[in-house]
Amino acid sequence: MRRVIGLFAVATLLSGCGLRPLYAGGSKGVVAQSLAAVEVAPIPQKAGWLVRNALVDRLATAGSVTPRYRLEVELDDRITGFGVRTDNAVTRERRILRARYRLRDAGAAGTVLLDATAGSDAGIDVVSSEYATIAAEQTALERLAKEVADQIVARIALYASRTAAR
C-alpha cells in the first residue's frame, strides 16, 4: 500500500514539472507520424545494410505515408586489436560503429534539419578458433547496428516532439 501511495505521489509531483510522454497519442501522435514519414537512404556495405534495416524497422515506414524527411547515414566501422600477449598475439578486440546522420527535408530544397552523430562499441575476445572470433565480430556488428539505430530514432523523435511544440 505504501508503494502505491509513493508512486502516486511521484506521479503527482512529475505532472507539475512539465514532463510529457514523447510518444503521446500512440501511432496517431505527432512523433509517430513524423517517424513514419522518414525515408532512409541506402547505406553501403554490410554494416550499412544492418543499420538501414534496423532504422526501417524502428521508424515503421510502411510506404503508405509520403516521405517528408530523408535520412542520410554515413558509417565508420572499425575493429581495433589490443590486449597483446608477449608473442604479439591479440587477445581482445574492440569493434566501434559510428554514424553521422542528417535528417533532410524531402522537399526540393533538401534543407538539413538535424545533423548529428551516434555510436557504440563492443569488446570481443579473440580465441584460438578463427571461426569463433569472426562469429563474435559479426554478432557484435549486429548488436551495434541496433544500438546505433535506436540512438538515431530517439534523436529524431526528440526533434519531432520539439518542432511539434512550436
Side-chain angles (χ1 to χ4, degrees), residues 27-119:
S27 63
K28 303 284 188 224
V30 173
V31 172
Q33 293 295 317
S34 295
L35 291 178
V38 175
E39 173 191 29
V40 183
I43 310 168
Q45 299 179 342
K46 183 176 184 174
W49 181 81
L50 289 168
V51 171
R52 185 178 188 284
N53 283 348
L55 285 167
V56 169
D57 289 345
R58 285 153 179 74
L59 293 170
T61 54
S64 60
V65 178
T66 303
R68 289 187 297 165
Y69 309 105
R70 179 173 172 83
L71 181 63
E72 300 170 351
V73 181
E74 299 169 11
L75 293 178
D76 181 21
D77 179 26
R78 295 183 189 191
I79 297 178
T80 306
F82 64 96
V84 181
R85 296 189 313 220
T86 55
D87 63 351
N88 287 333
V90 173
T91 59
R92 289 281 290 167
E93 291 177 338
R94 177 165 309 277
R95 184 161 210 160
I96 302 168
L97 184 63
R98 300 281 182 252
R100 179 171 183 203
Y101 59 95
R102 290 175 200 86
L103 183 67
R104 294 183 179 271
D105 186 350
T111 308
V112 175
L113 305 171
L114 180 64
D115 187 352
T117 59

Side-chain angles (χ1 to χ4, degrees), residues 85 89-93 124-137:
R85 296 189 313 220
V90 173
T91 59
R92 289 281 290 167
E93 291 177 338
I124 302 166
D125 285 328
V126 177
V127 294
S128 60
S129 167
E130 187 176 341
Y131 174 79
T133 301
I134 291 171
E137 290 171 353

